[in-house]
Amino acid sequence: MVTRGFTGRRPTAAFARRLPPGQFETDDFPVLAKGPTPEIDLAAWRFTLSQGPRPLASWNWAEFAALPRTQWQGDIHCVTTWSKFDTRWEGVSIDDLLAAAGVAPPSAFLLALSHDDYDTNVPVADLVGGRAMVATHFDGQPLTAEHGGPARLLVPHLYFWKSAKWLKGLRFTARDEAGFWELRGYHMYGDPWKQQRYSDDP
Amino acid sequence: MSAQGPTRWQEAVIERIAPLTPRIVSVVLKADLARHVAGQHLDVRLTAPDGYAAQRSYSIASAPGRPFELIIEKLDDGEVSPYFHDIAQAGDAIEVRGPLGGHFIWRAGDGGPVLLVAGGSGIAPLMAMVRDWACTAAALPLMLVCSARTWDELPFGEELERLEASRADFRFVAAITRSPGHRPSDRTQRLDAPALRELIARWGHVPRHVFVCGSNRFVEGVTRGLADAALAAGMIRTERYGGAE
């Protein structure tokens, strides 16, 4: 349906190719969160891989910082319709995390767990094979608290609510369990190229 | 009520469009959508003749069951907000879907006391809560603190003054940062921890639900202040726009 008088502001052709449907490009780095930004003490920080209630491996901040590092540069897409291009991240890939723990994924799904009681579900296949990391740095600097520091999940090929801020662990689940937003009307998978924003989007 | 799911795009007709403040317009829509819960939003889609489309989310400011009112602040470098300020007229059709959102919401049954803190156009979802509370809730303490640079830039000021005059359990505080206050009860300093602590102490209630909406910078400042005032993070819900370095 054409809106009378609306012309819009087109991205360049090069940008348009990189922009999933329904998104716009921004230089800003918007902040979205369900509640206050938590203050996280690095001395008390722990990251835990678990299978259901059972811990598989766990690292304190110094141990985590000693794991192999991975860098990634590319575009991120938020369900609220902004996209940000050429973002630069550094952290520990999920592949390296699993290798350091000496475990193979015990199930095909997991919940990413945050310090503010947020959680979000991601298929394990979307996290391994170099597709995701636990990011501790953005643009060469330690990740700020507003953007999820000290550590957040980075799954750039899914809408950014899947890239949980203030990450404290990954919990493997027997089945695909809905997380915080997935229980509140958002899509279980969240592919930006298919516009999987809300639960009944195909 | 609509038979379709909330995410199906539907036509909505602009019934009324009018300035609320020098930079914010009120847009009242006629749309066959499900009844909303206070705090929810609509997605709006505008389409150019060649098929190019832009979509944004706007919080609903009206009470559930009333025609959908969106309030839209003009962003100088915006793509969608200038359409509503410079082009749209009553009778024009746009596309909408919703109502959407299941976290930043309040129903009368959720109870209180309720503390709402708004920065600028962030008042929209909180106004829906105030209006819902005014229609449906039995006596239940509610305080709305609104920050704006001047009284003229504060949306719904007169409606809120009238409501305060008619309901003893409603407190409305305007925090005016760039000009003298409009009323003796207005504040003229930033909403930092001491100011928030004093406002809550004078109110005389311990909030059970807290909703904070505004720019990210505003929400960060207020939520830090509320934490210093010893409010538990778990009772505070936020909705933000804009970013941080």
Side-chain angles (χ1 to χ4, degrees):
Chain A
M1 191 198 94
V2 172
T3 313
R4 184 191 66 82
F6 178 71
T7 50
R9 195 179 52 201
R10 316 305 160 93
T12 62
F15 269 29
R17 274 194 296 279
R18 294 165 65 179
L19 211 49
Q23 298 291 112
F24 69 97
E25 188 265 339
T26 182
D27 284 335
D28 199 7
F29 195 170
V31 174
L32 297 146
K34 70 181 182 71
T37 301
E39 277 180 31
I40 296 166
D41 178 10
L42 285 183
W45 185 90
R46 271 205 97 69
F47 186 88
T48 305
L49 278 181
S50 55
Q51 180 177 8
R54 191 168 66 87
L56 299 172
S58 155
W59 297 265
N60 66 24
W61 184 254
E63 292 162 347
F64 196 84
L67 294 173
R69 311 288 294 170
T70 290
Q71 295 183 339
W72 181 85
Q73 177 171 328
D75 306 341
I76 58 175
H77 312 290
C78 176
V79 70
T80 63
T81 71
W82 59 266
S83 291
K84 187 172 176 63
F85 288 172
D86 299 316
T87 59
R88 293 197 301 130
W89 301 85
E90 185 189 312
V92 179
S93 76
I94 306 301
D95 303 293
D96 287 334
L97 207 55
L98 291 168
V103 299
S107 68
F109 299 98
L110 58 72
L111 280 167
L113 309 175
S114 296
H115 280 272
D116 63 339
D117 293 329
Y118 177 79
D119 57 8
T120 186
N121 55 314
V122 189
V124 173
D126 287 86
L127 298 178
V128 297
R131 303 182 85 190
M133 70 166 82
V134 178
T136 57
H137 286 68
F138 173 76
D139 220 6
Q141 300 294 321
L143 189 57
T144 61
E146 279 161 279
H147 290 303
R152 76 179 297 168
L153 189 62
L154 176 71
V155 199
H157 65 282
L158 300 178
Y159 280 129
F160 220 47
W161 89 79
K162 296 288 184 180
S163 294
K165 294 179 177 183
W166 311 303
L167 197 67
K168 65 176 183 183
L170 300 174
R171 181 199 290 151
F172 292 97
T173 56
R175 55 185 181 81
D176 192 13
E177 289 181 29
F180 184 86
W181 288 120
E182 295 81 8
L183 285 169
R184 290 166 178 80
Y186 287 80
H187 199 274
M188 284 293 274
Y189 184 65
D191 181 346
W193 294 95
K194 296 180 178 165
Q195 284 213 72
Q196 293 173 334
R197 300 177 194 274
Y198 302 111
S199 53
D200 53 349
D201 284 331
Chain B
M1 289 295 103
S2 164
Q4 293 117 1
T7 68
R8 176 169 171 138
W9 290 104
Q10 298 185 56
E11 185 176 302
V13 175
I14 297 174
E15 248 183 10
R16 192 163 57 78
I17 185 161
L20 271 184
T21 76
R23 298 197 62 82
I24 299 175
V25 288
S26 157
V27 179
V28 178
L29 297 171
K30 190 172 171 181
D32 181 26
L33 301 173
R35 184 187 174 94
H36 68 282
V37 179
Q40 284 191 303
H41 69 269
L42 295 183
D43 281 1
V44 167
R45 182 165 72 181
L46 308 179
T47 304
D50 65 353
Y52 171 82
Q55 67 186 62
R56 299 289 188 278
S57 300
Y58 292 103
S59 293
I60 302 164
S62 43
R66 306 288 302 160
F68 295 99
E69 178 185 23
L70 309 180
I71 71 169
I72 298 176
E73 181 173 12
K74 186 168 186 178
L75 306 176
D76 291 327
D77 56 348
E79 179 180 25
V80 171
S81 65
Y83 162 82
F84 285 102
H85 280 261
D86 303 335
I87 296 168
Q89 298 172 356
D92 281 338
I94 60 173
E95 283 179 296
V96 297
R97 63 178 185 168
L100 298 156
H103 169 62
F104 198 85
I105 54 174
W106 181 84
R107 295 177 177 88
D110 296 340
V114 180
L115 171 61
L116 310 175
V117 188
S121 63
I123 195 173
L126 308 182
M127 195 64 196
M129 295 177 192
V130 169
R131 286 165 161 171
D132 189 24
W133 168 88
C135 314
T136 61
L140 182 151
L142 186 147
M143 177 161 71
L144 171 67
V145 182
C146 296
S147 177
R149 293 190 306 178
T150 66
W151 175 260
D152 288 341
E153 290 180 58
L154 197 156
F156 307 117
E158 282 161 23
E159 179 179 340
L160 292 165
E161 279 188 302
R162 283 198 305 274
L163 184 61
E164 191 179 38
S166 70
R167 292 274 303 241
D169 51 352
F170 179 56
R171 178 156 309 181
F172 165 46
V173 177
I176 304 295
T177 56
R178 298 274 176 86
S179 70
H182 173 71
R183 310 171 306 159
S185 57
D186 290 348
R187 314 284 305 196
T188 52
Q189 82 265 49
R190 276 184 47 246
L191 293 173
D192 54 10
L196 289 163
R197 200 178 295 124
E198 192 200 324
L199 283 173
I200 293 169
R202 276 206 212 172
W203 183 35
H205 299 283
V206 177
R208 182 160 156 225
H209 301 292
V210 183
F211 295 86
V212 186
C213 186
S215 69
N216 178 60
R217 179 183 296 217
F218 176 82
V219 170
E220 279 293 314
V222 168
T223 51
R224 270 199 296 273
L226 292 172
D228 289 348
L231 292 196
M235 71 166 74
I236 302 170
R237 284 175 258 196
T238 64
E239 199 155 84
R240 309 152 187 249
Y241 48 80
E245 285 300 306

